[in-house]
Amino acid sequence: QKEVEQNSGPLSVPEGAIASLNCTYSDRGSQSFFWYRQYSGKSPELIMSIYSNGDKEDGRFTAQLNKASQYVSLLIRDSQPSDSATYLCAARYNQGGKLIFGQGTELSVKP
Amino acid sequence: DVKVTQSSRYLVKRTGEKVFLECVQDMDHENMFWYRQDPGLGLRLIYFSYDVKMKEKGDIPEGYSVSREKKERFSLILESASTNQTSMYLCASTKGSGRASDTQYFGPGTRLTVL
């Protein structure tokens, strides 16, 4: 069965620090990977997507993909209290757009 | 911007009632999805649709049905609501281009309580 695994947390970091969120996936056929942020009581919103090995940067966010190790990560630089949320990792393994989600990692950024 | 809307943010129903949750997207997306999200269980796929009048079961279809009569609208139906269907329901859509960049966008969610 295809799975996406994340540490549930909570992950606590001080304001201004780098938060590192990790995700592993079981299916080598997975093609695309997505990081969503979800505030309590709200729906998931897309932060970043990555499809190729290596790093992809967008502002304070960097996604990293290592297909050989089946590993995806999200780094948040200069963490802010407003970054406190649950971060969902998702993998897509076919063309139909269907995603497999991890359980999510709760991040808490302390002022 | 992609916009996915859901008919209600909060809904309270009684056991045994028939419940309709509506989802509309305005970006001409081919694929639409219904999930439920519960604490500790994450997002679970109920049903999805790749085209009008087409539907496929997800991981937890029992107790639910769907309808997609128009491309922009995907409805989730609880035929006879039960208390274990109390949950947050999330609708999502994707363009269905087949590209790696095809992204799933979520609606605001409906928090359903079944008493």
Side-chain angles (χ1 to χ4, degrees):
Chain A
Q1 185 171 348
K2 300 174 174 61
E3 294 181 338
V4 174
E5 299 281 345
Q6 294 180 256
N7 291 327
S8 60
L11 174 66
S12 184
V13 300
E15 185 174 356
I18 296 175
S20 178
L21 304 163
N22 305 313
C23 171
T24 59
Y25 60 95
S26 63
D27 181 29
R28 287 193 176 275
S30 298
Q31 300 173 336
S32 310
F33 304 87
F34 303 85
W35 282 100
Y36 288 85
R37 178 177 61 200
Q38 186 175 25
Y39 292 113
S40 180
K42 302 294 186 182
S43 63
E45 56 179 325
L46 181 71
I47 298 176
M48 292 194 70
S49 56
I50 187 166
Y51 336 113
S52 304
N53 274 328
D55 294 359
K56 179 181 178 183
E57 188 174 318
D58 183 1
R60 296 187 296 112
F61 299 94
T62 299
Q64 300 174 317
L65 173 60
N66 184 326
K67 289 189 176 181
S69 301
Q70 297 175 236
Y71 178 89
V72 190
S73 65
L74 179 70
L75 301 178
I76 307 174
R77 290 182 299 281
D78 188 24
S79 295
Q80 302 296 310
S82 59
D83 295 326
S84 297
T86 296
Y87 290 80
L88 301 172
C89 174
R92 187 171 70 220
Y93 62 95
N94 61 23
Q95 301 287 335
K98 186 178 169 184
L99 297 179
I100 299 174
F101 285 87
Q103 294 285 330
T105 298
E106 183 183 349
L107 173 65
S108 177
V109 181
K110 303 294 187 185
Chain B
D1 280 352
V2 175
K3 191 167 184 182
V4 182
T5 58
Q6 295 183 229
S7 50
S8 305
R9 288 288 285 123
Y10 299 95
L11 206 54
V12 179
K13 295 292 182 181
R14 297 228 174 255
T15 302
E17 280 193 79
K18 191 168 186 176
V19 181
F20 293 87
L21 302 181
E22 302 282 339
C23 175
V24 178
Q25 49 88 11
D26 67 356
M27 288 301 293
D28 200 35
H29 282 181
E30 299 290 333
N31 304 338
M32 298 187 74
F33 306 82
W34 274 107
Y35 296 90
R36 64 177 285 177
Q37 187 175 34
D38 302 286
L41 297 177
L43 276 163
R44 293 182 290 169
L45 183 63
I46 304 172
Y47 267 97
F48 57 105
S49 169
Y50 291 150
D51 201 352
V52 175
K53 296 192 184 295
M54 291 183 66
K55 61 184 179 184
E56 293 197 35
K57 293 180 180 179
D59 300 319
I60 52 163
E62 296 79 18
Y64 304 93
S65 62
V66 290
S67 173
R68 194 166 180 201
E69 296 296 319
K70 293 184 178 182
K71 189 175 185 179
E72 67 271 17
R73 187 181 298 269
F74 192 34
S75 302
L76 180 68
I77 303 155
L78 286 66
E79 295 290 341
S80 177
S82 63
T83 55
N84 63 13
Q85 293 177 310
T86 292
S87 185
M88 169 72 100
Y89 289 88
L90 291 159
C91 175
S93 71
T94 65
K95 188 170 180 60
S97 65
R99 295 173 181 267
S101 58
D102 200 6
T103 299
Q104 203 165 116
Y105 296 94
F106 285 85
T110 295
R111 185 163 295 280
L112 172 68
T113 301
V114 182
L115 301 176

